[in-house]
Every structure is written in structure tokens, then in C-alpha cells.
Amino acid sequence: MLRKLCPGQTAELYVVDVVTNESRLVYASAVVLFEAPNWVGDRLVVNGDGGLFSVPVAGGELVPIELGGVPEINNDHVVGPDGATVYVSAEDGHLYAVPMAGGVGRRVSNEHGVHHYLHGVSPDGERLAYIGLANRGGRRITNVYTVPAAGGVDVQVTDDEFADDGSEYGPDGEWIYFNSERAGQAQLFRIKGAVVEQLTFDERVNWFPHPSPDGSLIAYVSFPPGTEGHPADVEDVRVRLLSADGQVREVATVFGGQGTMNVPSWSPDGSSFAYVAYPIK
């Protein structure tokens, strides 16, 4: 079901400078609940009302991106490294490739018993990293998968019953970053082959790791202790940065959660990233 704004609520799109921690409001709406910014060139890409839009980083209005016959989409979408294609997760459970300039959408995913939620594209643009949701004995099971962006055979990266989400390639194309409850509650991890490394260890519930273009920082969202899943409209959602030495820095505290930063939103030069807040006034 598509999300809508509550009475008195706005969706606010921000860009934050990672050196100064200063956030700048790019766009706000009391009509459209938009989510999950990507950054491509001088524009940000968000979803809302089942569609896809772009807005100038400098500020301006939402401009629809033609989905070319693709079903309504959710808030899991990524832009290819050349900026020419955006890959989206549709409400029918499949992944699609859509030309940024408009045109016919192309289904990428296969029929293999999972619902697809896209989060990452490899630096060379050759593969997509997604979460596959399957029902196993009446239980919802999520694992990390990859599939060629041009279409082809899926590769299952994790195979367990821990709740995994947010699978995204690092800048080296070898590690895949994700959040998982294998530590008891959601923490950040990365995986390469059979090697799994835990990255956060605090009492908060941490989701959606987004490595910076040079790999020196990871932007993510952090929920209060005891939070189940990644709900919307949580008061104390913290946008954080994790450095290579394990240090955590608070960037912003927002009313939000779901839709705030589900997908990669770094600027190409790594100086900034985007996020969304949903204040109720």
C-alpha cells in the first residue's frame, strides 16, 4: 500500500555537508509523501505516489520520470553509475530498468519464488544487489541476492533465517553492505564470499548502510533501542556517519524512519548526501 502524509505532516528533502554537518532544505511538500533520495549529477531522484521524480539539488520542483509501463514502485530504487538508467522495485515484486530520459521499462528479475527489493548497483553497473523475500513454512525470510543488470541468473549471497535488508555494493565492488538481525537486533554488516564482518555494535537498531564513494564513511539510519523493523513516523531517528576506525558521528535527528534514507544518496564527490524527514506540525 502506498504511503500518504498524515494531517499536518510534510515531507522535507535535505542535503547535508559531511564536513560541517549543516543540512540544507532542498524541497518540501504537504501533498506528496516522497521517499528515498538517490543522487545523480545535479539532481536528486525520489519516489512518491507509486511514481518516480527528480528535483534539482539546488532547489526547484518535482519533475516526473516516465516509468515506461512499469507497475507502481516502492522506495527501493538505484541509479546506474552512468546516470542513464534507474533500476526500480515495483509493487508486483519485480525489478525493472527504466531509462532516465524516458522510454520503455525492462524487467530485470526472474521468477524464483521471492519478492525483490532493490538497494544497490555494482560500481561497474553490471550487477544489482537486492533483498529477496520468501515465505518459508509460513515465515517471512529475507536474504541477500545479486542479479545481472542486463538480466540473467541470480546468485544467493546469504542463506539463513536472519532478517537481512539494505544490500548495497561498496565502492570496490567486492563487499556488499547490509543490515541484519544476526546479532540479535539490526546492526550493520558487510559480506564478501564466505566472510561476514559486523560494523556496528551499539544498543540502537541500525539500518541501511550507504558507503561513501571513496569508502571512508558509511551513512545510515539509527532507530531507538527495541524498535522492530524500520517503521515510519518514529520521533528519534538519527542519521549517522560511521568512519573506517569505527567512530560514529551524529548528523541529524529527524521524525521519520521508513523513507528517510532507504537507498544510496551520496553526492558523486562524497561531500554530501541526502535524506528525508517527515515532521508533523
PDB file of all heavy atoms in Angstrom, residues 3 35-38 47 74-78 118-120 165-168 179 207-210 221 223 230-231 257-265 274-276 278:
ATOM      1  N   ARG A   3       2.233   4.859   0.758  1.00  0.00           N
ATOM      2  CA  ARG A   3       2.159   5.707   1.939  1.00  0.00           C
ATOM      3  C   ARG A   3       1.624   7.089   1.576  1.00  0.00           C
ATOM      4  O   ARG A   3       1.871   7.614   0.492  1.00  0.00           O
ATOM      5  CB  ARG A   3       3.541   5.841   2.577  1.00  0.00           C
ATOM      6  CG  ARG A   3       4.075   4.565   3.187  1.00  0.00           C
ATOM      7  CD  ARG A   3       5.488   4.777   3.709  1.00  0.00           C
ATOM      8  NE  ARG A   3       5.517   5.830   4.736  1.00  0.00           N
ATOM      9  CZ  ARG A   3       6.582   6.578   4.992  1.00  0.00           C
ATOM     10  NH1 ARG A   3       7.681   6.423   4.292  1.00  0.00           N
ATOM     11  NH2 ARG A   3       6.539   7.495   5.934  1.00  0.00           N
ATOM     12  N   GLU A  35      10.009   9.771  -0.949  1.00  0.00           N
ATOM     13  CA  GLU A  35      10.915   8.957  -0.141  1.00  0.00           C
ATOM     14  C   GLU A  35      12.247   8.715  -0.856  1.00  0.00           C
ATOM     15  O   GLU A  35      12.363   8.894  -2.064  1.00  0.00           O
ATOM     16  CB  GLU A  35      10.291   7.576   0.127  1.00  0.00           C
ATOM     17  CG  GLU A  35       8.905   7.580   0.741  1.00  0.00           C
ATOM     18  CD  GLU A  35       8.338   6.176   0.825  1.00  0.00           C
ATOM     19  OE1 GLU A  35       7.873   5.656  -0.213  1.00  0.00           O
ATOM     20  OE2 GLU A  35       8.357   5.600   1.926  1.00  0.00           O
ATOM     21  N   ALA A  36      13.219   8.274  -0.076  1.00  0.00           N
ATOM     22  CA  ALA A  36      14.398   7.545  -0.558  1.00  0.00           C
ATOM     23  C   ALA A  36      15.164   8.240  -1.672  1.00  0.00           C
ATOM     24  O   ALA A  36      15.145   7.799  -2.825  1.00  0.00           O
ATOM     25  CB  ALA A  36      13.969   6.150  -1.005  1.00  0.00           C
ATOM     26  N   PRO A  37      15.887   9.315  -1.377  1.00  0.00           N
ATOM     27  CA  PRO A  37      16.609  10.009  -2.444  1.00  0.00           C
ATOM     28  C   PRO A  37      17.817   9.244  -2.969  1.00  0.00           C
ATOM     29  O   PRO A  37      18.550   8.613  -2.221  1.00  0.00           O
ATOM     30  CB  PRO A  37      17.051  11.315  -1.768  1.00  0.00           C
ATOM     31  CG  PRO A  37      17.083  11.000  -0.303  1.00  0.00           C
ATOM     32  CD  PRO A  37      16.005   9.996  -0.076  1.00  0.00           C
ATOM     33  N   ASN A  38      17.970   9.272  -4.281  1.00  0.00           N
ATOM     34  CA  ASN A  38      19.238   8.955  -4.963  1.00  0.00           C
ATOM     35  C   ASN A  38      19.827  10.270  -5.457  1.00  0.00           C
ATOM     36  O   ASN A  38      19.113  11.253  -5.604  1.00  0.00           O
ATOM     37  CB  ASN A  38      19.026   8.060  -6.194  1.00  0.00           C
ATOM     38  CG  ASN A  38      18.336   6.751  -5.916  1.00  0.00           C
ATOM     39  OD1 ASN A  38      17.387   6.409  -6.609  1.00  0.00           O
ATOM     40  ND2 ASN A  38      18.783   6.009  -4.933  1.00  0.00           N
ATOM     41  N   ASN A  47      10.943   8.697  -4.947  1.00  0.00           N
ATOM     42  CA  ASN A  47       9.675   8.097  -5.338  1.00  0.00           C
ATOM     43  C   ASN A  47       8.551   8.728  -4.530  1.00  0.00           C
ATOM     44  O   ASN A  47       8.770   9.280  -3.450  1.00  0.00           O
ATOM     45  CB  ASN A  47       9.682   6.582  -5.123  1.00  0.00           C
ATOM     46  CG  ASN A  47       9.758   6.214  -3.651  1.00  0.00           C
ATOM     47  OD1 ASN A  47      10.829   6.277  -3.058  1.00  0.00           O
ATOM     48  ND2 ASN A  47       8.635   5.830  -3.049  1.00  0.00           N
ATOM     49  N   ASN A  74       7.938   1.083  -5.242  1.00  0.00           N
ATOM     50  CA  ASN A  74       8.101   1.404  -3.827  1.00  0.00           C
ATOM     51  C   ASN A  74       9.370   2.234  -3.640  1.00  0.00           C
ATOM     52  O   ASN A  74       9.887   2.821  -4.595  1.00  0.00           O
ATOM     53  CB  ASN A  74       8.097   0.127  -2.979  1.00  0.00           C
ATOM     54  CG  ASN A  74       9.194  -0.842  -3.375  1.00  0.00           C
ATOM     55  OD1 ASN A  74      10.307  -0.445  -3.727  1.00  0.00           O
ATOM     56  ND2 ASN A  74       8.895  -2.131  -3.319  1.00  0.00           N
ATOM     57  N   ASN A  75       9.897   2.280  -2.416  1.00  0.00           N
ATOM     58  CA  ASN A  75      11.015   3.188  -2.137  1.00  0.00           C
ATOM     59  C   ASN A  75      12.383   2.536  -2.228  1.00  0.00           C
ATOM     60  O   ASN A  75      13.333   2.990  -1.600  1.00  0.00           O
ATOM     61  CB  ASN A  75      10.838   3.854  -0.761  1.00  0.00           C
ATOM     62  CG  ASN A  75      10.735   2.848   0.373  1.00  0.00           C
ATOM     63  OD1 ASN A  75      11.119   1.695   0.237  1.00  0.00           O
ATOM     64  ND2 ASN A  75      10.205   3.287   1.512  1.00  0.00           N
ATOM     65  N   ASP A  76      12.505   1.490  -3.048  1.00  0.00           N
ATOM     66  CA  ASP A  76      13.802   0.838  -3.266  1.00  0.00           C
ATOM     67  C   ASP A  76      14.189   1.008  -4.727  1.00  0.00           C
ATOM     68  O   ASP A  76      13.697   0.278  -5.598  1.00  0.00           O
ATOM     69  CB  ASP A  76      13.721  -0.645  -2.881  1.00  0.00           C
ATOM     70  CG  ASP A  76      13.415  -0.845  -1.407  1.00  0.00           C
ATOM     71  OD1 ASP A  76      13.967  -0.076  -0.598  1.00  0.00           O
ATOM     72  OD2 ASP A  76      12.630  -1.742  -1.072  1.00  0.00           O
ATOM     73  N   HIS A  77      15.068   1.964  -5.019  1.00  0.00           N
ATOM     74  CA  HIS A  77      15.485   2.253  -6.383  1.00  0.00           C
ATOM     75  C   HIS A  77      16.917   2.770  -6.366  1.00  0.00           C
ATOM     76  O   HIS A  77      17.354   3.389  -5.385  1.00  0.00           O
ATOM     77  CB  HIS A  77      14.560   3.293  -7.033  1.00  0.00           C
ATOM     78  CG  HIS A  77      14.203   4.444  -6.146  1.00  0.00           C
ATOM     79  ND1 HIS A  77      15.038   5.534  -5.936  1.00  0.00           N
ATOM     80  CD2 HIS A  77      13.109   4.675  -5.372  1.00  0.00           C
ATOM     81  CE1 HIS A  77      14.471   6.375  -5.107  1.00  0.00           C
ATOM     82  NE2 HIS A  77      13.294   5.877  -4.734  1.00  0.00           N
ATOM     83  N   VAL A  78      17.659   2.503  -7.426  1.00  0.00           N
ATOM     84  CA  VAL A  78      19.046   2.967  -7.534  1.00  0.00           C
ATOM     85  C   VAL A  78      19.311   3.435  -8.965  1.00  0.00           C
ATOM     86  O   VAL A  78      18.677   2.955  -9.908  1.00  0.00           O
ATOM     87  CB  VAL A  78      20.069   1.871  -7.154  1.00  0.00           C
ATOM     88  CG1 VAL A  78      19.924   1.476  -5.697  1.00  0.00           C
ATOM     89  CG2 VAL A  78      19.929   0.642  -8.038  1.00  0.00           C
ATOM     90  N   LEU A 118      15.153  -3.802  -4.237  1.00  0.00           N
ATOM     91  CA  LEU A 118      16.454  -3.378  -4.750  1.00  0.00           C
ATOM     92  C   LEU A 118      17.116  -2.344  -3.844  1.00  0.00           C
ATOM     93  O   LEU A 118      16.450  -1.438  -3.344  1.00  0.00           O
ATOM     94  CB  LEU A 118      16.263  -2.775  -6.148  1.00  0.00           C
ATOM     95  CG  LEU A 118      17.509  -2.271  -6.856  1.00  0.00           C
ATOM     96  CD1 LEU A 118      18.470  -3.412  -7.142  1.00  0.00           C
ATOM     97  CD2 LEU A 118      17.114  -1.566  -8.142  1.00  0.00           C
ATOM     98  N   HIS A 119      18.443  -2.476  -3.676  1.00  0.00           N
ATOM     99  CA  HIS A 119      19.165  -1.487  -2.873  1.00  0.00           C
ATOM    100  C   HIS A 119      20.496  -1.056  -3.468  1.00  0.00           C
ATOM    101  O   HIS A 119      21.006  -0.001  -3.087  1.00  0.00           O
ATOM    102  CB  HIS A 119      19.396  -2.012  -1.452  1.00  0.00           C
ATOM    103  CG  HIS A 119      18.157  -2.034  -0.622  1.00  0.00           C
ATOM    104  ND1 HIS A 119      17.713  -0.927   0.073  1.00  0.00           N
ATOM    105  CD2 HIS A 119      17.248  -2.998  -0.395  1.00  0.00           C
ATOM    106  CE1 HIS A 119      16.591  -1.216   0.704  1.00  0.00           C
ATOM    107  NE2 HIS A 119      16.278  -2.464   0.430  1.00  0.00           N
ATOM    108  N   GLY A 120      21.099  -1.835  -4.352  1.00  0.00           N
ATOM    109  CA  GLY A 120      22.427  -1.449  -4.800  1.00  0.00           C
ATOM    110  C   GLY A 120      22.737  -1.872  -6.218  1.00  0.00           C
ATOM    111  O   GLY A 120      22.162  -2.820  -6.761  1.00  0.00           O
ATOM    112  N   ASP A 165      18.494  -6.862   5.233  1.00  0.00           N
ATOM    113  CA  ASP A 165      17.917  -5.815   4.386  1.00  0.00           C
ATOM    114  C   ASP A 165      19.030  -4.879   3.932  1.00  0.00           C
ATOM    115  O   ASP A 165      20.175  -4.943   4.407  1.00  0.00           O
ATOM    116  CB  ASP A 165      16.842  -5.030   5.145  1.00  0.00           C
ATOM    117  CG  ASP A 165      15.767  -4.464   4.222  1.00  0.00           C
ATOM    118  OD1 ASP A 165      16.045  -4.284   3.017  1.00  0.00           O
ATOM    119  OD2 ASP A 165      14.653  -4.199   4.696  1.00  0.00           O
ATOM    120  N   GLY A 166      18.687  -3.994   2.993  1.00  0.00           N
ATOM    121  CA  GLY A 166      19.565  -2.899   2.602  1.00  0.00           C
ATOM    122  C   GLY A 166      20.855  -3.298   1.925  1.00  0.00           C
ATOM    123  O   GLY A 166      21.880  -2.638   2.108  1.00  0.00           O
ATOM    124  N   SER A 167      20.852  -4.337   1.102  1.00  0.00           N
ATOM    125  CA  SER A 167      22.101  -4.823   0.494  1.00  0.00           C
ATOM    126  C   SER A 167      22.608  -3.853  -0.569  1.00  0.00           C
ATOM    127  O   SER A 167      21.911  -3.563  -1.535  1.00  0.00           O
ATOM    128  CB  SER A 167      21.876  -6.206  -0.116  1.00  0.00           C
ATOM    129  OG  SER A 167      20.720  -6.227  -0.925  1.00  0.00           O
ATOM    130  N   GLU A 168      23.833  -3.389  -0.397  1.00  0.00           N
ATOM    131  CA  GLU A 168      24.390  -2.339  -1.265  1.00  0.00           C
ATOM    132  C   GLU A 168      25.871  -2.581  -1.494  1.00  0.00           C
ATOM    133  O   GLU A 168      26.611  -2.884  -0.560  1.00  0.00           O
ATOM    134  CB  GLU A 168      24.173  -0.985  -0.592  1.00  0.00           C
ATOM    135  CG  GLU A 168      24.606   0.191  -1.404  1.00  0.00           C
ATOM    136  CD  GLU A 168      24.234   1.493  -0.718  1.00  0.00           C
ATOM    137  OE1 GLU A 168      23.146   1.576  -0.118  1.00  0.00           O
ATOM    138  OE2 GLU A 168      25.046   2.443  -0.781  1.00  0.00           O
ATOM    139  N   ASN A 179      22.153  -4.591   6.481  1.00  0.00           N
ATOM    140  CA  ASN A 179      21.828  -4.692   7.903  1.00  0.00           C
ATOM    141  C   ASN A 179      21.189  -6.047   8.154  1.00  0.00           C
ATOM    142  O   ASN A 179      20.559  -6.640   7.261  1.00  0.00           O
ATOM    143  CB  ASN A 179      20.928  -3.555   8.381  1.00  0.00           C
ATOM    144  CG  ASN A 179      19.623  -3.447   7.650  1.00  0.00           C
ATOM    145  OD1 ASN A 179      19.533  -2.710   6.653  1.00  0.00           O
ATOM    146  ND2 ASN A 179      18.597  -4.160   8.117  1.00  0.00           N
ATOM    147  N   TRP A 207      20.124   0.588  10.459  1.00  0.00           N
ATOM    148  CA  TRP A 207      19.629   0.144   9.159  1.00  0.00           C
ATOM    149  C   TRP A 207      20.307   0.891   8.010  1.00  0.00           C
ATOM    150  O   TRP A 207      20.769   2.013   8.159  1.00  0.00           O
ATOM    151  CB  TRP A 207      18.120   0.413   9.050  1.00  0.00           C
ATOM    152  CG  TRP A 207      17.278  -0.627   9.730  1.00  0.00           C
ATOM    153  CD1 TRP A 207      17.108  -0.826  11.064  1.00  0.00           C
ATOM    154  CD2 TRP A 207      16.474  -1.624   9.091  1.00  0.00           C
ATOM    155  NE1 TRP A 207      16.259  -1.871  11.305  1.00  0.00           N
ATOM    156  CE2 TRP A 207      15.844  -2.379  10.109  1.00  0.00           C
ATOM    157  CE3 TRP A 207      16.211  -1.941   7.757  1.00  0.00           C
ATOM    158  CZ2 TRP A 207      14.976  -3.438   9.824  1.00  0.00           C
ATOM    159  CZ3 TRP A 207      15.343  -2.988   7.478  1.00  0.00           C
ATOM    160  CH2 TRP A 207      14.735  -3.717   8.521  1.00  0.00           C
ATOM    161  N   PHE A 208      20.305   0.244   6.851  1.00  0.00           N
ATOM    162  CA  PHE A 208      20.608   0.828   5.551  1.00  0.00           C
ATOM    163  C   PHE A 208      21.995   1.490   5.477  1.00  0.00           C
ATOM    164  O   PHE A 208      22.124   2.717   5.392  1.00  0.00           O
ATOM    165  CB  PHE A 208      19.535   1.850   5.154  1.00  0.00           C
ATOM    166  CG  PHE A 208      18.155   1.273   5.020  1.00  0.00           C
ATOM    167  CD1 PHE A 208      17.067   1.931   5.561  1.00  0.00           C
ATOM    168  CD2 PHE A 208      17.949   0.082   4.350  1.00  0.00           C
ATOM    169  CE1 PHE A 208      15.790   1.406   5.442  1.00  0.00           C
ATOM    170  CE2 PHE A 208      16.678  -0.456   4.229  1.00  0.00           C
ATOM    171  CZ  PHE A 208      15.592   0.212   4.772  1.00  0.00           C
ATOM    172  N   PRO A 209      23.061   0.701   5.466  1.00  0.00           N
ATOM    173  CA  PRO A 209      24.404   1.273   5.309  1.00  0.00           C
ATOM    174  C   PRO A 209      24.656   1.738   3.878  1.00  0.00           C
ATOM    175  O   PRO A 209      24.409   1.005   2.917  1.00  0.00           O
ATOM    176  CB  PRO A 209      25.321   0.095   5.672  1.00  0.00           C
ATOM    177  CG  PRO A 209      24.519  -1.127   5.322  1.00  0.00           C
ATOM    178  CD  PRO A 209      23.086  -0.772   5.598  1.00  0.00           C
ATOM    179  N   HIS A 210      25.145   2.975   3.756  1.00  0.00           N
ATOM    180  CA  HIS A 210      25.436   3.556   2.443  1.00  0.00           C
ATOM    181  C   HIS A 210      26.893   4.023   2.416  1.00  0.00           C
ATOM    182  O   HIS A 210      27.204   5.120   2.912  1.00  0.00           O
ATOM    183  CB  HIS A 210      24.516   4.736   2.157  1.00  0.00           C
ATOM    184  CG  HIS A 210      23.057   4.419   2.294  1.00  0.00           C
ATOM    185  ND1 HIS A 210      22.445   3.393   1.605  1.00  0.00           N
ATOM    186  CD2 HIS A 210      22.086   4.987   3.052  1.00  0.00           C
ATOM    187  CE1 HIS A 210      21.161   3.348   1.919  1.00  0.00           C
ATOM    188  NE2 HIS A 210      20.923   4.299   2.798  1.00  0.00           N
ATOM    189  N   VAL A 221      20.806   5.005   8.978  1.00  0.00           N
ATOM    190  CA  VAL A 221      19.764   5.483   9.875  1.00  0.00           C
ATOM    191  C   VAL A 221      19.736   4.590  11.107  1.00  0.00           C
ATOM    192  O   VAL A 221      19.890   3.374  11.020  1.00  0.00           O
ATOM    193  CB  VAL A 221      18.376   5.527   9.205  1.00  0.00           C
ATOM    194  CG1 VAL A 221      18.321   6.621   8.159  1.00  0.00           C
ATOM    195  CG2 VAL A 221      18.016   4.194   8.576  1.00  0.00           C
ATOM    196  N   PHE A 223      17.604   3.674  14.685  1.00  0.00           N
ATOM    197  CA  PHE A 223      16.339   3.729  15.412  1.00  0.00           C
ATOM    198  C   PHE A 223      16.575   3.519  16.909  1.00  0.00           C
ATOM    199  O   PHE A 223      17.595   2.954  17.313  1.00  0.00           O
ATOM    200  CB  PHE A 223      15.390   2.646  14.898  1.00  0.00           C
ATOM    201  CG  PHE A 223      14.878   2.878  13.505  1.00  0.00           C
ATOM    202  CD1 PHE A 223      15.610   2.472  12.399  1.00  0.00           C
ATOM    203  CD2 PHE A 223      13.649   3.489  13.296  1.00  0.00           C
ATOM    204  CE1 PHE A 223      15.141   2.668  11.114  1.00  0.00           C
ATOM    205  CE2 PHE A 223      13.160   3.699  12.019  1.00  0.00           C
ATOM    206  CZ  PHE A 223      13.910   3.288  10.924  1.00  0.00           C
ATOM    207  N   HIS A 230      11.821  -1.271  10.449  1.00  0.00           N
ATOM    208  CA  HIS A 230      12.181   0.137  10.193  1.00  0.00           C
ATOM    209  C   HIS A 230      10.908   0.910   9.924  1.00  0.00           C
ATOM    210  O   HIS A 230      10.585   1.269   8.790  1.00  0.00           O
ATOM    211  CB  HIS A 230      13.197   0.261   9.055  1.00  0.00           C
ATOM    212  CG  HIS A 230      12.796  -0.403   7.767  1.00  0.00           C
ATOM    213  ND1 HIS A 230      12.450   0.308   6.652  1.00  0.00           N
ATOM    214  CD2 HIS A 230      12.698  -1.708   7.426  1.00  0.00           C
ATOM    215  CE1 HIS A 230      12.145  -0.521   5.683  1.00  0.00           C
ATOM    216  NE2 HIS A 230      12.287  -1.759   6.122  1.00  0.00           N
ATOM    217  N   PRO A 231      10.147   1.195  10.966  1.00  0.00           N
ATOM    218  CA  PRO A 231       8.824   1.819  10.819  1.00  0.00           C
ATOM    219  C   PRO A 231       8.916   3.282  10.387  1.00  0.00           C
ATOM    220  O   PRO A 231       9.969   3.916  10.436  1.00  0.00           O
ATOM    221  CB  PRO A 231       8.220   1.693  12.216  1.00  0.00           C
ATOM    222  CG  PRO A 231       9.404   1.676  13.129  1.00  0.00           C
ATOM    223  CD  PRO A 231      10.468   0.931  12.388  1.00  0.00           C
ATOM    224  N   GLY A 257      12.045   7.737   9.477  1.00  0.00           N
ATOM    225  CA  GLY A 257      12.416   6.326   9.505  1.00  0.00           C
ATOM    226  C   GLY A 257      12.238   5.708   8.142  1.00  0.00           C
ATOM    227  O   GLY A 257      13.105   5.825   7.276  1.00  0.00           O
ATOM    228  N   GLN A 258      11.098   5.037   7.921  1.00  0.00           N
ATOM    229  CA  GLN A 258      10.793   4.484   6.610  1.00  0.00           C
ATOM    230  C   GLN A 258      10.767   5.610   5.587  1.00  0.00           C
ATOM    231  O   GLN A 258      10.068   6.599   5.748  1.00  0.00           O
ATOM    232  CB  GLN A 258       9.447   3.778   6.660  1.00  0.00           C
ATOM    233  CG  GLN A 258       8.980   3.192   5.339  1.00  0.00           C
ATOM    234  CD  GLN A 258       9.843   2.059   4.854  1.00  0.00           C
ATOM    235  OE1 GLN A 258      10.803   2.296   4.127  1.00  0.00           O
ATOM    236  NE2 GLN A 258       9.541   0.848   5.259  1.00  0.00           N
ATOM    237  N   GLY A 259      11.604   5.480   4.546  1.00  0.00           N
ATOM    238  CA  GLY A 259      11.679   6.502   3.512  1.00  0.00           C
ATOM    239  C   GLY A 259      12.735   7.552   3.720  1.00  0.00           C
ATOM    240  O   GLY A 259      13.055   8.310   2.801  1.00  0.00           O
ATOM    241  N   THR A 260      13.308   7.615   4.931  1.00  0.00           N
ATOM    242  CA  THR A 260      14.299   8.670   5.214  1.00  0.00           C
ATOM    243  C   THR A 260      15.566   8.495   4.388  1.00  0.00           C
ATOM    244  O   THR A 260      16.084   9.451   3.800  1.00  0.00           O
ATOM    245  CB  THR A 260      14.637   8.690   6.710  1.00  0.00           C
ATOM    246  OG1 THR A 260      13.505   9.192   7.432  1.00  0.00           O
ATOM    247  CG2 THR A 260      15.834   9.578   7.013  1.00  0.00           C
ATOM    248  N   MET A 261      16.079   7.276   4.305  1.00  0.00           N
ATOM    249  CA  MET A 261      17.335   7.050   3.580  1.00  0.00           C
ATOM    250  C   MET A 261      17.470   5.560   3.263  1.00  0.00           C
ATOM    251  O   MET A 261      18.417   4.897   3.670  1.00  0.00           O
ATOM    252  CB  MET A 261      18.523   7.556   4.395  1.00  0.00           C
ATOM    253  CG  MET A 261      19.770   7.854   3.573  1.00  0.00           C
ATOM    254  SD  MET A 261      21.036   8.773   4.504  1.00  0.00           S
ATOM    255  CE  MET A 261      21.413   7.623   5.830  1.00  0.00           C
ATOM    256  N   ASN A 262      16.503   5.020   2.515  1.00  0.00           N
ATOM    257  CA  ASN A 262      16.495   3.591   2.214  1.00  0.00           C
ATOM    258  C   ASN A 262      17.534   3.178   1.184  1.00  0.00           C
ATOM    259  O   ASN A 262      17.908   2.003   1.124  1.00  0.00           O
ATOM    260  CB  ASN A 262      15.119   3.167   1.692  1.00  0.00           C
ATOM    261  CG  ASN A 262      14.021   3.279   2.726  1.00  0.00           C
ATOM    262  OD1 ASN A 262      13.851   4.333   3.342  1.00  0.00           O
ATOM    263  ND2 ASN A 262      13.263   2.212   2.914  1.00  0.00           N
ATOM    264  N   VAL A 263      17.985   4.108   0.366  1.00  0.00           N
ATOM    265  CA  VAL A 263      18.838   3.779  -0.778  1.00  0.00           C
ATOM    266  C   VAL A 263      20.035   4.735  -0.821  1.00  0.00           C
ATOM    267  O   VAL A 263      20.055   5.747  -0.128  1.00  0.00           O
ATOM    268  CB  VAL A 263      18.016   3.870  -2.089  1.00  0.00           C
ATOM    269  CG1 VAL A 263      16.953   2.781  -2.131  1.00  0.00           C
ATOM    270  CG2 VAL A 263      17.372   5.244  -2.242  1.00  0.00           C
ATOM    271  N   PRO A 264      21.059   4.411  -1.640  1.00  0.00           N
ATOM    272  CA  PRO A 264      22.250   5.277  -1.683  1.00  0.00           C
ATOM    273  C   PRO A 264      21.917   6.690  -2.125  1.00  0.00           C
ATOM    274  O   PRO A 264      21.209   6.892  -3.110  1.00  0.00           O
ATOM    275  CB  PRO A 264      23.173   4.570  -2.687  1.00  0.00           C
ATOM    276  CG  PRO A 264      22.287   3.652  -3.455  1.00  0.00           C
ATOM    277  CD  PRO A 264      21.199   3.251  -2.528  1.00  0.00           C
ATOM    278  N   SER A 265      22.442   7.677  -1.375  1.00  0.00           N
ATOM    279  CA  SER A 265      22.098   9.071  -1.665  1.00  0.00           C
ATOM    280  C   SER A 265      23.310   9.996  -1.590  1.00  0.00           C
ATOM    281  O   SER A 265      23.159  11.202  -1.400  1.00  0.00           O
ATOM    282  CB  SER A 265      21.024   9.568  -0.694  1.00  0.00           C
ATOM    283  OG  SER A 265      21.487   9.543   0.644  1.00  0.00           O
ATOM    284  N   ALA A 274      21.908  12.957   0.853  1.00  0.00           N
ATOM    285  CA  ALA A 274      20.542  13.454   1.011  1.00  0.00           C
ATOM    286  C   ALA A 274      19.746  12.534   1.931  1.00  0.00           C
ATOM    287  O   ALA A 274      19.998  11.331   1.995  1.00  0.00           O
ATOM    288  CB  ALA A 274      19.869  13.573  -0.358  1.00  0.00           C
ATOM    289  N   TYR A 275      18.756  13.104   2.601  1.00  0.00           N
ATOM    290  CA  TYR A 275      17.837  12.330   3.425  1.00  0.00           C
ATOM    291  C   TYR A 275      16.498  13.064   3.480  1.00  0.00           C
ATOM    292  O   TYR A 275      16.383  14.228   3.075  1.00  0.00           O
ATOM    293  CB  TYR A 275      18.398  12.103   4.833  1.00  0.00           C
ATOM    294  CG  TYR A 275      18.564  13.356   5.671  1.00  0.00           C
ATOM    295  CD1 TYR A 275      17.541  13.824   6.496  1.00  0.00           C
ATOM    296  CD2 TYR A 275      19.762  14.086   5.657  1.00  0.00           C
ATOM    297  CE1 TYR A 275      17.691  14.969   7.264  1.00  0.00           C
ATOM    298  CE2 TYR A 275      19.927  15.229   6.425  1.00  0.00           C
ATOM    299  CZ  TYR A 275      18.891  15.666   7.226  1.00  0.00           C
ATOM    300  OH  TYR A 275      19.038  16.801   7.992  1.00  0.00           O
ATOM    301  N   VAL A 276      15.474  12.374   3.996  1.00  0.00           N
ATOM    302  CA  VAL A 276      14.121  12.948   4.091  1.00  0.00           C
ATOM    303  C   VAL A 276      13.628  12.870   5.523  1.00  0.00           C
ATOM    304  O   VAL A 276      13.827  11.857   6.209  1.00  0.00           O
ATOM    305  CB  VAL A 276      13.137  12.201   3.165  1.00  0.00           C
ATOM    306  CG1 VAL A 276      11.743  12.856   3.217  1.00  0.00           C
ATOM    307  CG2 VAL A 276      13.642  12.174   1.728  1.00  0.00           C
ATOM    308  N   TYR A 278      10.035  13.731   8.047  1.00  0.00           N
ATOM    309  CA  TYR A 278       8.575  13.784   7.917  1.00  0.00           C
ATOM    310  C   TYR A 278       7.935  14.426   9.138  1.00  0.00           C
ATOM    311  O   TYR A 278       7.154  13.801   9.843  1.00  0.00           O
ATOM    312  CB  TYR A 278       8.025  12.368   7.711  1.00  0.00           C
ATOM    313  CG  TYR A 278       8.563  11.677   6.491  1.00  0.00           C
ATOM    314  CD1 TYR A 278       9.624  10.783   6.588  1.00  0.00           C
ATOM    315  CD2 TYR A 278       8.023  11.924   5.234  1.00  0.00           C
ATOM    316  CE1 TYR A 278      10.124  10.154   5.461  1.00  0.00           C
ATOM    317  CE2 TYR A 278       8.513  11.302   4.104  1.00  0.00           C
ATOM    318  CZ  TYR A 278       9.584  10.417   4.220  1.00  0.00           C
ATOM    319  OH  TYR A 278      10.079   9.798   3.112  1.00  0.00           O
TER     320      TYR A 278
END
